Amino acid sequence: MRTKRVLLAAAASVVAFALTGCGDGGDGGTKIPTAGDATASAGATAGTGAGTATGGNGSGKDEVAVYVEGRRAWVKCLRENGVDAPDPDANGQVELGDAGALKKNPAFIKASQKCAPLSPPVPKEIERRLAPKLTPEQIRTQFAYAACMQKNGAPDFPDPEPDGNVYGDVQWDSTTAAAKQAARACAPIIGDPVEQGPGKG
């Protein structure tokens, strides 16, 4: 059964590596539209790894510290493969510049594919730090949209957390006819245009 991944929280890392194939999950699904999407970063900040860490790394270290260390190793690999990448910040984010240019850069694509295994999963704590700050109205919209989806054919659609965001690699089945109908029915809640049938001339 195909599922649609929900990576709503780490909005800044959304650009997050759709452009490189560096562990974006590869399921080809689109992310669930949310009221917070407008606040997502348009820059090429590389933030995602292969999924979401659940803790318990066995090293005794804080999962954020482990994540940042992994990102440093990833950057080191990029540099060794011809990419002049800056050091990650305190949240493990790496500002790589223009996403459009990177998508067309063969050297970057090759290096990112080679180094992808070194980029660790994003811990929930980092997702929370990077999540957009939603207004009370946006939070209400998120909850209304989730409730609408669940009542109209997508019972496994995830509930937001109190801040309106969804954290982690949450999955829901978006392939059923009922789920697609729910998405059409609930689209007006988040301002998405509803699919229109053929018009009369």
Side-chain angles (χ1 to χ4, degrees):
M1 177 177 67
R2 288 182 54 212
T3 55
K4 182 171 288 189
R5 304 183 99 185
V6 183
L7 297 176
L8 306 182
S13 53
V14 163
V15 175
F17 263 111
L19 57 100
T20 67
C22 282
D24 64 347
D27 64 358
T30 55
K31 90 186 164 90
I32 297 170
T34 69
D37 284 348
T39 63
S41 168
T45 301
T48 59
T52 302
T54 57
N57 55 59
S59 68
K61 294 182 180 179
D62 175 84
E63 66 176 2
V64 172
V66 171
Y67 173 68
V68 174
E69 284 182 10
R71 296 291 283 172
R72 289 191 183 120
W74 178 71
V75 165
K76 182 174 182 287
C77 179
L78 290 179
R79 291 171 179 167
E80 290 172 348
N81 285 275
V83 175
D84 185 21
D87 290 331
D89 65 17
N91 292 320
Q93 305 303 288
V94 181
E95 181 57 54
L96 292 168
D98 179 56
L102 290 174
K103 281 196 254 188
K104 300 174 183 177
N105 185 330
F108 177 77
I109 293 171
K110 183 177 180 181
S112 65
Q113 290 173 343
K114 182 175 182 178
C115 301
L118 295 174
S119 188
V122 182
K124 280 190 176 182
E125 173 59 26
I126 293 294
E127 289 191 359
R128 291 180 189 280
R129 292 181 188 180
L130 300 177
K133 174 75 172 175
L134 304 184
T135 66
E137 181 180 358
Q138 288 174 324
I139 292 172
R140 286 192 294 271
T141 297
Q142 298 290 63
F143 277 93
Y145 183 69
C148 179
M149 291 292 290
Q150 292 165 2
K151 291 176 183 177
N152 286 279
D156 57 342
F157 191 89
D159 287 312
E161 295 203 16
D163 65 0
N165 290 297
V166 175
Y167 300 101
D169 189 9
V170 183
Q171 299 184 354
W172 65 286
D173 186 3
S174 64
T175 63
T176 66
K180 292 175 182 177
Q181 174 59 37
R184 288 192 292 271
C186 302
I189 294 175
I190 55 173
D192 272 14
V194 178
E195 292 180 12
Q196 301 294 327
K200 295 182 179 181

